[in-house]
Amino acid sequence: MNTINSLFGWILALGVLMIPVLCQDEESVMTVCQEEDNDLRVDCLLEPKHNYHTDYEFSMSKGQKEIIINTNISGIMPEPKFRHNTFVTELEPYGFRLTIMSFTVTENTTFICKVTKIQKTLFVELDSIEPCSAISVFLLGYPWLSLLVPLCILQL
């Protein structure tokens, strides 16, 4: 009986941790957070259109000016100050992560993510950027791993 209660507790705790991953709404398609090493991370979880080459473009807007940060679209160049301090990694099952090294937001900024002709924006107020959470990133990237936890507990 004690094992069943323990198993139920673990499943309940894991379920609470998975809520942000499983119940993503329109706002969680794009997130911005500050890493411990002062890098800024922008996750864009847009699913690309099928039968298209997957293009991406990350930019930001301060006032009326849009600044290209990073892109894989030929013929478009990022701002010179972002050419050597940014990189993009592909996320599973879909999406892209932009990392801007040693960068902090100094004013209200709108981040823009474009993936294969689909665009999302996220307005970020100065001093409202949350630190990146390792647990939510782990679960977001590998939600299927959460299914293995009850099996591991049963082995105890």
Side-chain angles (χ1 to χ4, degrees):
M1 188 66 174
N2 195 15
T3 303
I4 292 173
N5 287 341
S6 176
L7 177 64
F8 179 73
W10 277 104
I11 291 172
L12 182 63
L14 188 59
V16 169
L17 288 174
M18 289 295 293
I19 287 172
V21 175
L22 298 176
C23 301
Q24 291 182 352
D25 56 6
E26 279 294 311
E27 293 178 9
S28 64
V29 168
M30 198 170 165
T31 59
V32 176
C33 63
Q34 195 81 47
E35 294 181 348
E36 288 180 8
D37 59 1
N38 212 31
D39 292 352
L40 188 75
R41 186 171 75 208
V42 181
D43 286 352
C44 180
L45 303 178
L46 288 174
E47 187 170 1
K49 293 182 180 180
H50 299 289
N51 301 323
Y52 281 92
H53 171 73
T54 304
D55 293 327
Y56 64 80
E57 178 181 298
F58 286 92
S59 57
M60 65 182 172
S61 174
K62 297 178 178 183
Q64 300 291 0
K65 184 177 181 187
E66 184 175 343
I67 301 166
I68 305 293
I69 302 170
N70 195 312
T71 184
N72 69 346
I73 301 171
S74 63
I76 299 177
M77 293 295 292
E79 279 292 303
K81 70 179 180 179
F82 292 117
R83 286 189 189 152
H84 302 291
N85 68 336
T86 65
F87 61 93
V88 174
T89 53
E90 194 165 350
L91 301 174
E92 293 294 332
Y94 54 84
F96 295 93
R97 172 174 294 153
L98 167 72
T99 302
I100 309 172
M101 296 178 283
S102 300
F103 183 83
T104 55
V105 175
T106 57
E107 60 184 287
N108 295 344
T109 305
T110 299
F111 287 90
I112 304 158
C113 170
K114 300 173 189 170
V115 175
T116 316
K117 301 182 182 183
I118 303 169
Q119 176 177 312
K120 287 293 177 189
T121 61
L122 180 65
F123 178 74
V124 176
E125 291 184 14
L126 182 62
D127 299 327
S128 70
I129 295 180
E130 297 290 326
C132 299
S133 166
I135 292 174
S136 65
V137 169
F138 177 74
L139 292 175
L140 185 61
Y142 305 98
W144 57 269
L145 284 176
S146 64
L147 300 174
L148 299 177
V149 173
L151 295 175
C152 295
I153 294 171
L154 286 176
Q155 296 299 318
L156 297 175

